[in-house]
PDB file of all heavy atoms in Angstrom:
ATOM      1  N   ASN A 176     -30.023  -7.658  -9.753  1.00 86.00           N
ATOM      2  CA  ASN A 176     -29.587  -8.530  -8.661  1.00 86.00           C
ATOM      3  C   ASN A 176     -28.091  -8.909  -8.711  1.00 86.00           C
ATOM      4  O   ASN A 176     -27.325  -8.558  -7.867  1.00 86.00           O
ATOM      5  CB  ASN A 176     -30.438  -9.808  -8.670  1.00 86.00           C
ATOM      6  CG  ASN A 176     -31.895  -9.507  -8.394  1.00 86.00           C
ATOM      7  OD1 ASN A 176     -32.215  -8.632  -7.546  1.00 86.00           O
ATOM      8  ND2 ASN A 176     -32.774 -10.212  -9.058  1.00 86.00           N
ATOM      9  N   ASP A 177     -27.742  -9.657  -9.762  1.00 87.00           N
ATOM     10  CA  ASP A 177     -26.427 -10.219  -9.838  1.00 87.00           C
ATOM     11  C   ASP A 177     -25.286  -9.158  -9.896  1.00 87.00           C
ATOM     12  O   ASP A 177     -24.367  -9.204  -9.039  1.00 87.00           O
ATOM     13  CB  ASP A 177     -26.303 -11.103 -11.076  1.00 87.00           C
ATOM     14  CG  ASP A 177     -27.235 -12.274 -11.064  1.00 87.00           C
ATOM     15  OD1 ASP A 177     -27.865 -12.516 -10.037  1.00 87.00           O
ATOM     16  OD2 ASP A 177     -27.401 -12.953 -12.100  1.00 87.00           O
ATOM     17  N   SER A 178     -25.377  -8.242 -10.787  1.00 89.00           N
ATOM     18  CA  SER A 178     -24.324  -7.211 -10.947  1.00 89.00           C
ATOM     19  C   SER A 178     -24.199  -6.318  -9.655  1.00 89.00           C
ATOM     20  O   SER A 178     -23.104  -6.105  -9.197  1.00 89.00           O
ATOM     21  CB  SER A 178     -24.566  -6.361 -12.167  1.00 89.00           C
ATOM     22  OG  SER A 178     -24.415  -7.140 -13.360  1.00 89.00           O
ATOM     23  N   PRO A 179     -25.301  -5.813  -9.153  1.00 90.00           N
ATOM     24  CA  PRO A 179     -25.198  -4.980  -7.922  1.00 90.00           C
ATOM     25  C   PRO A 179     -24.674  -5.786  -6.754  1.00 90.00           C
ATOM     26  O   PRO A 179     -23.838  -5.257  -5.953  1.00 90.00           O
ATOM     27  CB  PRO A 179     -26.646  -4.550  -7.637  1.00 90.00           C
ATOM     28  CG  PRO A 179     -27.291  -4.586  -8.988  1.00 90.00           C
ATOM     29  CD  PRO A 179     -26.690  -5.756  -9.746  1.00 90.00           C
ATOM     30  N   ARG A 180     -24.993  -7.055  -6.626  1.00 91.00           N
ATOM     31  CA  ARG A 180     -24.495  -7.880  -5.544  1.00 91.00           C
ATOM     32  C   ARG A 180     -22.991  -8.016  -5.622  1.00 91.00           C
ATOM     33  O   ARG A 180     -22.243  -7.876  -4.645  1.00 91.00           O
ATOM     34  CB  ARG A 180     -25.190  -9.227  -5.514  1.00 91.00           C
ATOM     35  CG  ARG A 180     -24.772 -10.114  -4.305  1.00 91.00           C
ATOM     36  CD  ARG A 180     -25.717 -11.293  -4.159  1.00 91.00           C
ATOM     37  NE  ARG A 180     -25.725 -12.124  -5.408  1.00 91.00           N
ATOM     38  CZ  ARG A 180     -26.840 -12.258  -6.159  1.00 91.00           C
ATOM     39  NH1 ARG A 180     -27.901 -11.619  -5.828  1.00 91.00           N
ATOM     40  NH2 ARG A 180     -26.793 -12.992  -7.195  1.00 91.00           N
ATOM     41  N   ARG A 181     -22.495  -8.321  -6.811  1.00 92.00           N
ATOM     42  CA  ARG A 181     -21.061  -8.446  -6.990  1.00 92.00           C
ATOM     43  C   ARG A 181     -20.294  -7.171  -6.770  1.00 92.00           C
ATOM     44  O   ARG A 181     -19.258  -7.093  -6.147  1.00 92.00           O
ATOM     45  CB  ARG A 181     -20.773  -8.970  -8.418  1.00 92.00           C
ATOM     46  CG  ARG A 181     -21.047 -10.439  -8.607  1.00 92.00           C
ATOM     47  CD  ARG A 181     -20.439 -10.917  -9.911  1.00 92.00           C
ATOM     48  NE  ARG A 181     -18.939 -10.793  -9.848  1.00 92.00           N
ATOM     49  CZ  ARG A 181     -18.160 -10.676 -10.918  1.00 92.00           C
ATOM     50  NH1 ARG A 181     -18.708 -10.678 -12.164  1.00 92.00           N
ATOM     51  NH2 ARG A 181     -16.878 -10.552 -10.778  1.00 92.00           N
ATOM     52  N   ALA A 182     -20.874  -6.074  -7.344  1.00 92.00           N
ATOM     53  CA  ALA A 182     -20.216  -4.798  -7.210  1.00 92.00           C
ATOM     54  C   ALA A 182     -20.142  -4.305  -5.785  1.00 92.00           C
ATOM     55  O   ALA A 182     -19.076  -3.850  -5.322  1.00 92.00           O
ATOM     56  CB  ALA A 182     -20.948  -3.710  -8.065  1.00 92.00           C
ATOM     57  N   THR A 183     -21.208  -4.447  -4.992  1.00 91.00           N
ATOM     58  CA  THR A 183     -21.173  -3.999  -3.588  1.00 91.00           C
ATOM     59  C   THR A 183     -20.273  -4.908  -2.761  1.00 91.00           C
ATOM     60  O   THR A 183     -19.657  -4.395  -1.828  1.00 91.00           O
ATOM     61  CB  THR A 183     -22.627  -3.968  -2.990  1.00 91.00           C
ATOM     62  OG1 THR A 183     -23.248  -5.230  -3.194  1.00 91.00           O
ATOM     63  CG2 THR A 183     -23.411  -2.869  -3.646  1.00 91.00           C
ATOM     64  N   ALA A 184     -20.182  -6.182  -3.119  1.00 93.00           N
ATOM     65  CA  ALA A 184     -19.246  -7.061  -2.418  1.00 93.00           C
ATOM     66  C   ALA A 184     -17.843  -6.612  -2.608  1.00 93.00           C
ATOM     67  O   ALA A 184     -16.991  -6.599  -1.653  1.00 93.00           O
ATOM     68  CB  ALA A 184     -19.457  -8.517  -2.829  1.00 93.00           C
ATOM     69  N   ILE A 185     -17.491  -6.202  -3.829  1.00 93.00           N
ATOM     70  CA  ILE A 185     -16.142  -5.756  -4.114  1.00 93.00           C
ATOM     71  C   ILE A 185     -15.832  -4.452  -3.347  1.00 93.00           C
ATOM     72  O   ILE A 185     -14.805  -4.276  -2.736  1.00 93.00           O
ATOM     73  CB  ILE A 185     -15.981  -5.474  -5.626  1.00 93.00           C
ATOM     74  CG1 ILE A 185     -15.997  -6.842  -6.384  1.00 93.00           C
ATOM     75  CG2 ILE A 185     -14.703  -4.756  -5.961  1.00 93.00           C
ATOM     76  CD1 ILE A 185     -16.114  -6.714  -7.887  1.00 93.00           C
ATOM     77  N   VAL A 186     -16.796  -3.513  -3.388  1.00 92.00           N
ATOM     78  CA  VAL A 186     -16.665  -2.271  -2.666  1.00 92.00           C
ATOM     79  C   VAL A 186     -16.434  -2.503  -1.153  1.00 92.00           C
ATOM     80  O   VAL A 186     -15.458  -1.969  -0.568  1.00 92.00           O
ATOM     81  CB  VAL A 186     -17.850  -1.390  -2.858  1.00 92.00           C
ATOM     82  CG1 VAL A 186     -17.854  -0.156  -1.940  1.00 92.00           C
ATOM     83  CG2 VAL A 186     -17.920  -0.894  -4.309  1.00 92.00           C
ATOM     84  N   THR A 187     -17.279  -3.330  -0.597  1.00 92.00           N
ATOM     85  CA  THR A 187     -17.150  -3.614   0.870  1.00 92.00           C
ATOM     86  C   THR A 187     -15.770  -4.221   1.203  1.00 92.00           C
ATOM     87  O   THR A 187     -15.147  -3.778   2.138  1.00 92.00           O
ATOM     88  CB  THR A 187     -18.258  -4.541   1.295  1.00 92.00           C
ATOM     89  OG1 THR A 187     -19.549  -3.934   1.042  1.00 92.00           O
ATOM     90  CG2 THR A 187     -18.143  -4.842   2.804  1.00 92.00           C
ATOM     91  N   THR A 188     -15.390  -5.213   0.404  1.00 93.00           N
ATOM     92  CA  THR A 188     -14.142  -5.904   0.694  1.00 93.00           C
ATOM     93  C   THR A 188     -12.943  -4.980   0.557  1.00 93.00           C
ATOM     94  O   THR A 188     -12.099  -4.958   1.415  1.00 93.00           O
ATOM     95  CB  THR A 188     -14.012  -7.100  -0.276  1.00 93.00           C
ATOM     96  OG1 THR A 188     -15.073  -7.995  -0.080  1.00 93.00           O
ATOM     97  CG2 THR A 188     -12.704  -7.823  -0.012  1.00 93.00           C
TER      98      THR A 188
END
Side-chain angles (χ1 to χ4, degrees):
N176 296 321
D177 298 350
S178 296
R180 183 168 57 247
R181 284 194 61 204
T183 53
I185 291 168
V186 169
T187 300
T188 300

